[in-house]
Amino acid sequence: MASHSPAPDRDAAAVVGRLRRTFATRRTAAPDWRRGQLTALRSLLTDHSDELLTALATDLGKGPGEAYRTEIGFTVHEIDHTLARLDDWLAPRPAELPDRLLPATAQVVREPLGVVLVIAPWNYPLQLALAPLVGALAAGNCAVVKPSELAPATSAAMARLLPRYLDGDAVAVVEGAVPETTALLAERFDHIFYTGNGTVGRIVMTAAARHLTPVTLELGGKSPVVLDPGTDLAAAARRIVTGKFLNAGQTCVAPDYVLAIGDTAHAIEPHLAEAVREAYGADPAGADEYGRIVNERHFDRVTALLGSGRTVIGGAHDRATRYLAPTVLADVTPDSPVMQEEIFGPVLPIVPVPDLDAAIAFINGRDKPLALYAFTASDATKHRLLTETSSGALTFGLPVAHLTAPGLPFGGVGESGMGRYHGEYSLDTFSHTKAVLDKPLG
Ligand code: NAD
């Protein structure tokens, strides 16, 4: 660990130039360097977990248990998973050759891309900056990390700590908002990894196109929960509530709305209310592990959606503290305001549909979701959802869980994004997969 604290990185061209010179030395390609950086990043997270938890509480009112689990612990786990398998992942893989090319050998080799840019959002400001960085470092790249300006305490903590632990000529943190990001996007990168909304995703992709830079876009959208008759509604409600109200609903893969088939629409109401009380008590404002809305703009946006249905539970809100109670709305129609955009807040609409055909048509009539969830006891229903819909992920029985399994690719499709990461998928994203063929002469 270096002990000096270098000046903050501000000049985009100078930062990228410095990282390019480092990459040209090839030192970041060495497996030892990669392991060393990942180990150092792990130490940063464990040495400074208190400081990081304080920053996350400042930015988003995250309780320490949830913040540790979803931000620090999540990233530590991603590092451990990667370190345990990196040698195996980096080993050249022999490839088959057609008879007409024999005798010869062929291999598939992963090589680093160069200098990559990671642009992170505010909702999991630590995880969504550092989990992509794990992949970038594992793949042997130099990286610029641009944290979200809407989580300023976490952004400042990363800008302060990363240079103290990581190779400062290979990893840079550039803080800032639109002007700073725009300046970065004018530079040539070898990959851009963006997490956030689709409008900015288009800006990022347009900027990348000028340099023919590949992009990963981790975007959002409305992730439905299909509720099938015959499922255990009390258990389903508990799991929907856990996934929905995590981080006060500000999770890209949060269940956005319940698509309730037949009489489940009414039958689920008391179970959801009970599950909210069980998780957050009679007054969620006092619950240790219930977060706050990130800022007033989002608070005003989400509270404006409260009139979209009949309130089953919740609705209380306080602008001064940006508190909005976990809220369930029933009898919501598809044309209501809450169904026109990703909610990204603690409001859960129940939308009734008559049958599975209608549920599938509803899903297919809209943008492809980042995640599709379903609670069903029927294998036939599972099969139909798997084969007749498209989404970044499909999870039965436990919303949000797929995100925590590094063996599964994480990413969207269509409007919910392009590309994937976590575990070995991150290594693929941040590597070039090179074909190597060796044919003897004669
Ligand atoms: P945000 O406002 O923090 O923006 C994300 C990043 O884009 C920030 O670093 C910001 O500085 C930068 N940015 C903003 N405007 C820009 C511009 N004009 N030009 C260049 N850069 C700009 O976060 P957000 O977009 O509000 O994040 C919420 C969205 O992100 C939701 O739609 C959510 O679903 C999605 N999301 C997706 C994932 C995922 O993994 N797929 C994870 C988290 C959030």
Side-chain angles (χ1 to χ4, degrees):
M1 170 182 116
S3 58
H4 66 289
S5 290
D9 282 314
R10 294 221 172 82
D11 178 344
V15 171
V16 176
R18 184 174 91 231
L19 269 48
R20 278 218 178 280
R21 287 190 293 282
T22 305
F23 187 74
T25 68
R26 309 300 302 171
R27 80 164 183 261
T28 67
D32 279 350
W33 183 91
R34 308 184 196 198
R35 276 190 293 269
Q37 295 300 299
L38 293 174
T39 306
L41 185 58
R42 191 185 197 289
S43 301
L44 180 163
L45 291 166
T46 52
D47 293 353
H48 295 278
S49 57
D50 287 346
E51 193 177 338
L52 295 168
L53 290 175
T54 303
L56 292 162
T58 306
D59 287 333
L60 288 141
K62 292 196 193 209
E66 178 182 313
Y68 190 87
R69 219 173 48 248
T70 61
E71 304 253 18
I72 299 173
F74 181 99
T75 313
V76 168
H77 187 234
E78 182 75 15
I79 293 172
D80 290 344
H81 179 88
T82 302
L83 280 172
R85 293 161 182 79
L86 190 60
D87 288 345
D88 184 32
W89 292 344
L90 294 180
R93 291 175 192 193
E96 240 182 83
L97 284 173
D99 287 348
R100 67 192 149 73
L101 287 178
L102 298 178
T105 58
Q107 292 182 328
V108 179
V109 174
R110 284 166 164 151
E111 66 176 23
L113 293 170
V115 180
V116 304
L117 172 62
V118 174
I119 305 176
W122 53 265
N123 61 330
Y124 290 87
L126 186 85
Q127 183 210 127
L128 296 173
L130 299 187
L133 181 64
V134 170
L137 295 173
N141 297 289
C142 295
V144 177
V145 178
K146 212 302 287 175
S148 176
E149 73 280 13
L150 300 184
T154 311
S155 174
M158 287 192 285
R160 195 166 57 246
L161 295 172
L162 261 70
R164 287 175 49 196
Y165 281 78
L166 301 181
D167 181 340
D169 288 324
V171 179
V173 178
V174 175
E175 290 194 84
V178 176
E180 292 79 4
T181 316
T182 306
L184 281 171
L185 288 173
E187 298 300 315
R188 184 173 70 79
F189 288 93
D190 299 290
H191 193 91
I192 300 177
F193 188 104
Y194 170 80
T195 305
N197 67 76
T199 306
V200 176
R202 285 167 169 79
I203 295 173
V204 169
M205 199 169 171
T206 304
R210 282 200 294 275
H211 297 291
L212 219 56
T213 297
V215 293
T216 302
L217 300 179
E218 295 284 344
L219 310 178
K222 291 177 89 63
S223 296
V225 184
V226 175
L227 203 54
D228 200 25
T231 196
D232 176 343
L233 292 180
R238 280 194 293 273
R239 292 185 178 181
I240 294 169
V241 161
T242 303
K244 175 71 188 189
F245 299 112
L246 187 73
N247 199 22
Q250 301 164 112
T251 302
C252 57
V253 287
D256 189 273
Y257 60 97
V258 177
L259 209 45
I261 297 176
D263 59 10
T264 67
H266 288 300
I268 192 75
E269 288 181 25
H271 295 293
L272 286 170
E274 181 53 28
V276 168
R277 280 190 291 269
E278 234 175 71
Y280 302 103
D283 179 19
D288 287 344
E289 297 287 342
Y290 186 64
R292 296 295 182 265
I293 307 294
V294 65
N295 58 29
E296 289 179 351
R297 183 171 68 82
H298 280 284
F299 179 86
D300 293 341
R301 182 184 61 75
V302 181
T303 49
L305 304 174
L306 291 174
S308 291
R310 173 170 53 81
T311 305
V312 174
I313 189 167
H317 52 280
D318 173 34
R319 194 169 193 266
T321 54
R322 301 188 315 279
Y323 165 74
L324 171 55
T327 299
V328 177
L329 300 178
D331 306 330
V332 174
T333 58
D335 56 357
S336 66
V338 78
M339 290 306 293
Q340 307 314 309
E341 56 176 281
E342 179 181 3
I343 299 167
F344 222 54
V347 178
L348 180 70
I350 304 170
V351 182
V353 280
D355 52 28
L356 183 61
D357 286 335
I360 289 174
F362 194 97
I363 296 161
N364 290 340
R366 288 164 175 75
D367 292 337
K368 293 181 179 180
L370 185 56
L372 172 60
Y373 304 118
F375 289 88
T376 177
S378 154
D379 287 340
T381 300
K382 288 184 182 178
H383 183 73
R384 286 200 60 195
L385 288 170
L386 176 65
T387 53
E388 295 179 33
T389 69
S390 176
S391 54
L394 170 62
T395 298
F396 299 110
L398 190 58
V400 185
H402 63 287
L403 165 76
T404 66
L408 287 173
F410 183 75
V413 56
E415 283 286 327
S416 56
M418 62 182 72
R420 61 209 64 80
Y421 77 131
H422 288 171
E424 192 171 6
Y425 296 96
S426 289
L427 193 75
D428 267 338
T429 288
F430 287 108
S431 302
H432 166 57
T433 305
K434 183 154 82 176
V436 181
L437 189 143
D438 187 349
K439 168 92 181 156
L441 287 177

